[in-house]
């Protein structure tokens, strides 16, 4: 099973796991499946909350899949691909259930968007994060509203411009992570207790907390077509393909 999205119900919590062999970077098919799975689980009465996590002990998510980006040759395909990130974040926002995200390691680009789409986010000390899109010649346009909602426009803009990694402690101070642990084991122990308590809460109260937490975000829907177009057109430039090839090479030899 090289690329997958799996869902399992554990003590009233829908545990959704995604995995891909290259740092859990996301191709279009996985984005579509992830979005649909979140919506499907959100509709189930027996589901109190959703836990979103990724495979393995290294990177949480390397963002957009380089191989998929390199294969894109025309606007229709790139619009569909970048639209996939909008669908995932939209699903997290609109599924009606509290979404908890478990970040076990570094996360970049669209992966930062997923962390910022969480209602509650657990992480480890090694879960540094970066908006690396500019290295490719694009920008964090689709995830922008979600990241800005957590860290504010000024910090978002700085992250988007310098593409540097911020530490997990920084992410906790800036409201992305709500709990940072020394190790994966420590995080999982805390997470288990947290989910056990969450499962005992009133479903109606949780649904209302979800509703009020996302108040004022309806305009995200209207922003998306333009935001998707920004990345979708920039990725078609020849320089973007060259940038991706050189990043892949840099990661290969590091
Ligand atoms: C921090 C990263 C993700 C992980 O670091 P690491 O030290 O745990 O692992 P390593 O760098 O050795 O990478 C292992 C292999 O994974 C491959 N990889 C990494 N990221 C990707 C990717 N995005 N697509 C395909 N493959 C990827 C890497 O090449 C290694 O393969 P080999 O073993 O060499 O064969 C670190 O890898 C990193 O910083 N990666 C770059 C991340 C990045 O720039 N992602 C793209 C961001 S753009 C984006 O997400 C756009 C989203 C669209 N939108 C804005 C609309 C949401």
């Amino acid at each position: 099973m090289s690329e997958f999205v799996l869902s399992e119900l554990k003590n009233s919590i829908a545990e959704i796991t995604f995995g891909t062999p290259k740092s859990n970077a996301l191709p279009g098919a996985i984005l579509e499946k992830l979005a649909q799975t979140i919506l499907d689980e959100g509709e189930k009465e027996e589901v109190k909350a959703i836990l979103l996590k990724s495979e393995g002990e290294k990177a949480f998510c390397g963002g957009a899949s380089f191989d998929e980006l390199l294969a894109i040759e025309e606007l229709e395909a790139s619009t569909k691909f970048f639209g996939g990130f909008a669908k995932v974040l939209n699903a997290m926002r609109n599924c009606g259930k509290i979404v908890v995200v478990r970040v076990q390691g570094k996360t970049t680009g669209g992966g930062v968007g997923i962390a910022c789409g969480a209602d509650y986010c657990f992480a480890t000390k090694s879960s540094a994060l970066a908006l690396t899109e500019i290295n490719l010649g694009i920008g964090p346009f689709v995830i922008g509203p979600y990241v800005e909602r957590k860290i504010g426009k000024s910090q978002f803009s700085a992250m988007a411009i310098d593409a540097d990694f911020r530490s997990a402690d920084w992410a906790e101070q800036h409201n992305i992570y709500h709990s940072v642990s020394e190790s994966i084991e420590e995080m999982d122990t805390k997470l288990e207790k947290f989910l056990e308590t969450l499962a005992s809460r009133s479903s109606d109260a949780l649904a209302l907390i979800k509703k009020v937490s996302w108040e004022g975000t309806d305009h995200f829907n209207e922003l998306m077509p333009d935001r998707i177009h920004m990345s979708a057109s920039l990725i078609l430039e020849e320089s973007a393909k060259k940038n991706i090839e050189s990043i892949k090479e840099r990661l290969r030899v590091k």
Side-chain angles (χ1 to χ4, degrees):
M1 208 168 8
S2 62
E3 292 179 357
F4 66 91
V5 176
L6 287 176
S7 186
E8 207 183 340
L9 186 66
K10 286 189 189 163
N11 186 27
S12 307
I13 307 292
E15 207 172 292
I16 302 175
T17 311
F18 65 92
T20 67
K22 296 280 182 180
S23 299
N24 292 318
L26 297 162
I30 292 293
L31 288 168
E32 298 286 334
K33 188 147 189 224
L34 200 48
Q36 195 53 53
T37 307
I38 294 167
L39 291 176
D40 290 346
E41 294 301 332
E43 272 184 11
K44 294 181 185 165
E45 215 167 295
E46 66 273 26
V47 169
K48 277 272 177 81
I50 292 171
L51 170 66
L52 190 53
K53 61 196 191 82
S54 70
E55 173 80 339
E57 301 204 334
K58 286 195 79 190
F60 167 68
C61 176
S65 156
F66 292 147
D67 297 330
E68 184 112 353
L69 290 172
L70 286 170
I72 288 174
E73 277 176 354
E74 35 83 50
L75 192 59
E76 197 183 338
S78 62
T79 302
K80 186 169 179 342
F81 176 64
F82 288 109
F85 283 96
K87 282 188 188 171
V88 170
L89 294 176
N90 222 9
M92 293 174 78
R93 181 165 62 96
N94 290 325
C95 67
K97 299 284 160 71
I98 298 294
V99 178
V100 180
V101 174
R102 173 188 179 273
V103 180
Q104 76 277 26
K106 285 183 184 167
T107 189
T108 55
V112 177
I114 293 178
C116 290
D119 296 296
Y120 207 101
C121 193
F122 282 79
T124 63
K125 283 269 181 221
S126 49
S127 306
L129 40 75
L131 295 178
T132 51
E133 286 87 343
I134 192 117
N135 296 337
L136 284 65
I138 60 172
F141 307 119
V142 171
I143 63 173
Y146 292 84
V147 183
E148 274 180 52
R149 174 175 170 265
K150 291 278 163 96
I151 68 175
K153 209 178 247 308
S154 170
Q155 293 292 345
F156 164 71
S157 153
M159 281 189 86
I161 292 166
D162 66 35
D164 289 336
F165 276 92
R166 266 77 172 162
S167 70
D169 286 338
W170 183 96
E172 189 178 27
Q173 283 149 19
H174 289 79
N175 309 314
I176 299 178
Y177 299 155
H178 301 101
S179 166
V180 175
S181 298
E182 291 297 326
S183 65
I184 293 180
E185 293 70 31
E186 185 188 306
M187 173 180 67
D188 285 341
T189 305
K190 286 188 197 163
L191 185 54
E192 201 180 307
K193 274 199 191 130
F194 177 87
L195 293 175
E196 207 178 292
T197 308
L198 201 58
S200 71
R201 302 296 194 195
S202 148
S203 296
D204 292 342
L206 290 175
L208 287 174
I209 290 171
K210 178 85 187 189
K211 185 170 176 281
V212 300
S213 306
W214 288 93
E215 254 168 23
T217 62
D218 286 351
H219 68 290
F220 287 7
N221 297 334
E222 288 129 52
L223 292 176
M224 281 309 133
D226 269 359
R227 297 298 184 97
I228 291 167
H229 185 74
M230 289 176 194
S231 291
S233 49
L234 284 172
I235 204 69
L236 297 176
E237 291 180 12
E238 198 42 47
S239 56
K241 302 253 192 288
K242 284 194 189 128
N243 291 336
I244 295 172
E245 290 294 5
S246 63
I247 296 167
K248 278 182 75 171
E249 183 55 18
R250 183 172 49 77
L251 293 174
R252 200 183 60 76
V253 299
K254 90 174 179 200

